């Protein structure tokens, strides 16, 4: 991975990229032309004024600048700990053919399948500007099956999380059938990213989704109060979220809270989100913080407002330190997400006969970080694992052990020795020893490398007092902080009719508009005429949880323009 400060890279001119997209939409350019000329410019990444900055200059549109980090030491540490890329892709010519935006290595860790661009909310921010397009883009069962065929067609073949998304994916009439299709093709890690309205309105719906193969839910939630979520436009926001959590848990699934963080809006509540997750560990698996990306509804945001709202990953780590009651240290307790690749490498060595490789996350350290937390579910206490376990040294040990290629038995023994030597019993919570820790790690390894039709049930098998809570953050790129070097090993490809495209390129680089326009199902007018419009909960509209969402008596909310949100 390209790291280090200062360094040069390639980026996008936001204006040139927007012009290229609009020229395609007008029919003045074809897909091949947009693919090869998306509006690239040279950029430099530098340190200045206690910040890490990206600066670039376009001959036609002038200079652009954005902040990548407001804590240079943290930025450098994440880059210094990065594990690196997966194997280069082979046999992927019909899947990865997107010019400078092409994915070059790895299977990815989350394959995103956008079932529909329709949504039943009108949020701001919204990375895709849902409900604003003049057309409907919705996948059929046959198209979904083709996407899964493409996903299994190239090397490296690895386990992957499938994430059904949108729009609001549960609005798709084929949602349950898409789950069954993915399950039948050998994909077992099935998730959905949702606003939770349908899960809140119907426990039966949650049970049906679980029966169809759904493993877990990524539930959008930006705070623990209606006030912290008023930008989402839903009148009884927390009532809906709590009901969704209950129904999801009752069906036998767990939830990851997906938190969009905007500086000055809800960054002062990220600590409350962690406390809420800990208090509800019987329902919540972890948290995924996602600093705002200025795409979709926010791609034309004024420059000064973008500066004010920008939220680098380093600020998240320091905000959580300030807002937490336990000792959560940014430079000790956070690691690049690519560290997971070390454990995938270990699992591959321990299982040389596996038909597919282990789940491998190779996100660039500037855009993906995590902090492993140990939670005592009995006393609701939290301890960062590096307090009592030298996690950094353990990962270095594993790299040396796996690189020595001594066979599964010796490798497993050496990994166990490393675990014991890096564990400090004097600093560990009372009642938690190396054996308990080893049991938790075995559970984590199964999540990385396990497979089979019963994978979901076995992945939920651990019900002990101690739990590892995944607290992570993904900072997706927009046209202002775009780094082509970080896209080549995207851990979040989007499966489309034009192949698998990095989530950042799809949303931040203009590919979504190109793909959806070219493959649209119908114009909005045609869709409403033949199928009717979905209910949109906005401007304080409340969800009646006593009445099914598809009831004809529910009031439709008309959204005429973006100014209606104000």
């Amino acid at each position: 991975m390209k790291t280090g400060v200062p360094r040069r890279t390639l980026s996008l001119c936001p204006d040139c990229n927007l012009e290229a997209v609009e020229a395609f939409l007008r029919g003045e350019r074809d897909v091949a032309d947009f693919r090869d000329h998306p509006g690239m410019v040279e950029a430099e990444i530098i340190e200045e004024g206690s910040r890490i900055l990206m600066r670039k200059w376009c001959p036609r549109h002038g200079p652009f600048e954005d902040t990548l980090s407001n804590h240079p030491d943290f930025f450098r540490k994440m880059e210094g700990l990065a594990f690196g890329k997966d194997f280069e892709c082979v046999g992927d010519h019909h899947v990865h053919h997107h010019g400078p935006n092409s994915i070059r290595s790895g299977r990815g860790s989350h394959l995103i399948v956008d079932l529909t661009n329709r949504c039943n909310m009108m949020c701001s921010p919204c990375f895709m500007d849902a409900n604003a397009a003049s057309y409907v883009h919705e996948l059929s069962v046959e198209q979904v099956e083709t996407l899964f065929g493409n996903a299994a067609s190239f090397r490296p073949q690895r386990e992957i999380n499938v994430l059904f998304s949108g729009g609001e994916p549960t609005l798709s009439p084929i949602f349950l059938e898409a789950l069954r299709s993915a399950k039948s093709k050998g994909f077992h890690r099935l998730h959905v990213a949702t606003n939770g309205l349908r899960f809140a309105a119907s426990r039966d719906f949650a049970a049906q989704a679980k029966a169809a193969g759904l493993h877990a839910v990524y539930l959008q939630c930006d705070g623990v109060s209606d006030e912290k979520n008023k930008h989402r436009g839903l009148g009884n926001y927390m009532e809906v979220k709590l009901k969704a959590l209950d129904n999801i848990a009752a069906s036998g699934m767990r939830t990851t809270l997906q938190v969009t963080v905007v500086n000055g809006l809800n960054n002062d509540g990220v600590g409350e989100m962690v406390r809420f997750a800990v208090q509800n560990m019987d329902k919540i698996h972890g948290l995924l913080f996602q600093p705002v990306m200025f795409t979709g509804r926010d791609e034309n945001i004024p420059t000064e407002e973008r500066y004010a709202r920008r939220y680098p990953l380093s600020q998240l780590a320091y905000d959580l330190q300030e807002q937490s009651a336990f000792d959560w240290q940014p430079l000790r307790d956070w690691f690049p997400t690519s560290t997971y690749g070390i454990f995938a490498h270990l699992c591959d060595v321990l299982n040389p006969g596996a038909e597919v490789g282990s789940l491998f996350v190779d996100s660039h350290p500037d855009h993906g970080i995590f902090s492993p937390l140990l939670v005592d579910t009995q006393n609701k206490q939290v301890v960062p694992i590096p307090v009592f376990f030298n996690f950094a040294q353990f990962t270095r040990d594993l790299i040396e052990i796996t690189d020595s290629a001594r066979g599964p038995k010796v490798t497993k023994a050496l990994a166990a020795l490393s675990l014991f030597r890096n564990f400090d019993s004097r600093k560990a919570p009372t009642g938690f020893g190396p054996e308990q820790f080893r049991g938790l790690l075995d559970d984590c390894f199964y999540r990385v490398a396990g497979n089979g039709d019963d994978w979901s049930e076995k992945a939920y098998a651990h019900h002990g007092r101690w739990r590892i809570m995944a607290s992570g953050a993904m900072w997706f790129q927009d046209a202002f902080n775009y780094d082509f070097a970080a896209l080549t090993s995207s851990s979040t490809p989007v499966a489309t009719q034009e192949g698998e495209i990095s989530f950042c390129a799809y949303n931040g680089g203009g590919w979504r508009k190109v793909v959806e326009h070219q493959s649209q199902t119908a114009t909005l007018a045609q869709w409403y005429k033949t199928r009717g419009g979905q209910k949109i909960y906005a401007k304080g509209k409340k969800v009646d949880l006593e009445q099914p969402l598809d009831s004809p008596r529910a009031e439709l909310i008309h959204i005429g323009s973006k100014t209606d949100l104000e």
Side-chain angles (χ1 to χ4, degrees), residues 28 73 106 157 238 240 244 270 337 350 366 385 420 450 459 519 521 533:
E28 298 169 2
D73 289 344
Q157 278 200 353
M238 286 308 299
V240 169
V270 291
T337 309
L350 293 176
D366 296 354
I385 286 178
F420 282 104
S519 306
T521 306

Side-chain angles (χ1 to χ4, degrees), residues 136-179:
V136 170
H137 177 265
E138 196 148 287
L139 297 179
S140 66
V141 174
E142 293 75 21
Q143 288 171 327
V144 169
E145 290 176 346
T146 298
L147 299 183
F148 286 129
N150 291 340
S153 68
F154 65 93
R155 304 292 186 274
Q157 278 200 353
R158 290 190 175 278
E159 297 291 348
I160 189 168
N161 295 298
V162 174
L163 182 62
F164 289 104
S165 185
E168 173 52 45
T170 62
L171 290 181
S172 168
I174 68 161
F175 174 62
L176 297 178
E177 195 167 353
L179 288 169

Side-chain angles (χ1 to χ4, degrees), residues 214-235:
L214 188 64
H215 169 69
V217 175
Y218 282 79
L219 182 66
Q220 183 276 317
C221 187
D222 293 348
V224 299
S225 67
D226 287 335
E227 177 65 23
K228 279 299 178 188
N229 292 281
K230 63 182 181 181
H231 54 286
R232 295 292 175 183
L234 186 60

Side-chain angles (χ1 to χ4, degrees), residues 113-325:
V113 181
D114 281 354
L115 293 178
T116 179
N117 70 339
R118 296 184 295 127
C119 190
N120 48 12
M121 290 180 64
M122 192 75 176
C123 302
S124 182
C126 175
F127 65 83
M128 65 163 292
D129 203 4
N131 294 321
S134 61
Y135 54 82
V136 170
H137 177 265
E138 196 148 287
L139 297 179
S140 66
V141 174
E142 293 75 21
Q143 288 171 327
V144 169
E145 290 176 346
T146 298
L147 299 183
F148 286 129
N150 291 340
S153 68
F154 65 93
R155 304 292 186 274
Q157 278 200 353
R158 290 190 175 278
E159 297 291 348
I160 189 168
N161 295 298
V162 174
L163 182 62
F164 289 104
S165 185
E168 173 52 45
T170 62
L171 290 181
S172 168
I174 68 161
F175 174 62
L176 297 178
E177 195 167 353
L179 288 169
R180 288 189 285 267
S181 175
K183 188 76 172 177
S184 70
K185 294 185 178 300
F187 295 90
H188 307 295
R189 294 163 166 80
L190 306 182
H191 305 73
V192 61
T194 177
N195 57 32
L197 267 64
R198 290 206 67 188
F199 287 99
S202 173
R203 181 168 292 191
D204 286 344
F205 178 78
Q208 290 169 11
K210 171 64 175 175
L214 188 64
H215 169 69
V217 175
Y218 282 79
L219 182 66
Q220 183 276 317
C221 187
D222 293 348
V224 299
S225 67
D226 287 335
E227 177 65 23
K228 279 299 178 188
N229 292 281
K230 63 182 181 181
H231 54 286
R232 295 292 175 183
L234 186 60
N236 55 339
Y237 188 93
M238 286 308 299
E239 180 187 12
V240 169
K241 301 300 173 173
L242 292 172
K243 188 66 173 178
L245 281 172
D246 286 344
N247 289 346
I248 292 165
S251 70
M253 298 183 291
R254 287 182 186 157
T255 297
T256 295
L257 299 180
Q258 201 164 12
V259 188
T260 300
V261 191
V262 182
N263 193 49
L265 179 67
N266 66 330
N267 65 298
D268 60 343
V270 291
E272 290 180 337
M273 292 299 299
V274 176
R275 286 188 285 274
F276 178 78
V278 171
Q279 292 297 320
N280 293 275
M281 282 292 285
D282 57 325
K283 304 169 187 174
I284 296 175
H285 171 67
L287 298 107
L288 179 62
F289 295 99
Q290 294 181 328
V292 62
M293 60 187 305
F294 297 111
T295 65
R297 203 155 287 156
D298 293 293
E299 68 181 2
N300 295 318
I301 187 173
T303 301
E304 292 304 317
E305 188 175 351
R306 172 168 54 86
Y307 286 159
R309 294 171 63 185
R310 179 66 83 189
Y311 192 73
L313 289 178
S314 57
Q315 186 173 340
L316 171 69
Y318 282 87
D319 280 350
L320 284 170
Q321 179 188 36
E322 181 179 336
Q323 297 172 30
S324 299

